[in-house]
Amino acid sequence: MEQSVVSVDVVALRFWPDDAGVTVGVAPREWAPFAGELALPGVLLGRGERLVAAARRAVHAKLGVPEAAIGAVGQLVTFDEPNRDPRGPTLSIAMWAVVGPHEGPAQWVSFDQVPALAFDHNRIVDAARGLLTRLLWKDRTFTRALTGDEFPATRAVELTTAILGTRPDPANLNRTLAAIPGLERTAERRRVKATGRPAVVWAFTPDS
């Protein structure tokens, strides 16, 4: 039986201060198969390489993200369709990564506007979105990587809407935020846009 190789494909997420929502990084492939077509950043797992290291390598090499701008990284799911890669059987371990502000050549697209991608990368994005909805506001590492140490409530609404695909009920979202260990509602209010009311600011405690 032909031995499968292992690839690490990354759903790299951007949610910078001036962004209205979360976007996913894609870039044209340099080599065949699918040369010139858009794809998620991916690499073959090296001998003795850890998944997080491979994911960071993929984001840096394929999206042009500086090492210092790659934040938290985590594992999502494995895709084992034998024919997913025309070069032969390949397991794909899908990872997520959050990247900070930087200048680079990658294209950033919303979950609702992901173009046709090489391999089974559209399927990976679709599956990742469902899994990320379960992590948001529950997995502190993932959530804090996107929000930063503090954020106004309006940003929480934008973040939730971008990942879930629907606008959350403000009262339900406030209850969700209040139940997160280490996250506190502060007395500060912050106006995010020139128009609109100042929003309550939430902050993670230093030891959380």
Side-chain angles (χ1 to χ4, degrees):
M1 179 180 294
E2 187 177 2
Q3 182 69 39
S4 296
V5 297
V6 177
S7 68
V8 175
D9 297 303
V10 187
V11 179
L13 305 170
R14 163 180 162 166
F15 188 56
W16 299 352
D18 293 334
D19 291 340
V22 177
T23 49
V24 178
V26 296
R29 281 182 53 80
E30 186 174 359
W31 309 108
F34 307 111
E37 296 188 27
L38 292 174
L40 296 174
V43 294
L44 294 181
L45 186 67
R47 184 181 297 274
E49 187 176 30
R50 304 298 295 269
L51 293 175
V52 168
R56 295 178 66 87
R57 178 165 62 89
V59 173
H60 173 64
K62 302 301 177 67
L63 297 184
V65 179
E67 290 281 358
I70 304 173
V73 178
Q75 186 174 345
L76 287 169
V77 66
T78 299
F79 291 82
D80 62 354
E81 166 57 49
N83 299 316
R84 62 174 302 277
D85 189 323
R87 293 169 294 188
T90 305
L91 292 176
S92 171
I93 300 177
M95 307 284 287
W96 61 263
V98 176
V99 303
H102 66 278
E103 293 184 2
Q107 298 182 38
W108 297 91
V109 297
S110 70
F111 277 105
D112 293 324
Q113 296 180 324
V114 176
L117 301 177
F119 301 104
D120 56 351
H121 288 187
N122 286 92
R123 183 179 170 220
I124 290 177
V125 172
D126 289 342
R129 187 178 192 178
L131 295 169
L132 294 173
T133 63
R134 303 175 198 173
L135 295 180
L136 184 63
W137 311 124
K138 298 179 181 66
D139 184 293
R140 198 179 314 173
T141 299
F142 172 69
T143 299
R144 194 168 183 174
L146 287 167
T147 64
D149 293 339
E150 62 177 42
F151 56 91
T154 49
R155 291 295 279 167
V157 172
E158 291 172 344
L159 176 57
T160 304
T161 302
I163 293 183
L164 272 66
T166 57
R167 190 173 180 85
D169 176 77
N172 288 340
L173 181 57
N174 280 332
R175 283 191 289 270
T176 296
L177 297 178
I180 298 174
L183 182 64
E184 297 180 348
R185 177 174 174 152
T186 71
E188 180 185 356
R189 287 182 174 268
R190 186 179 304 165
R191 191 188 303 275
V192 178
K193 300 178 181 178
T195 58
R197 299 166 57 186
V200 170
V201 173
W202 293 81
F204 286 97
T205 56
D207 57 347
S208 64

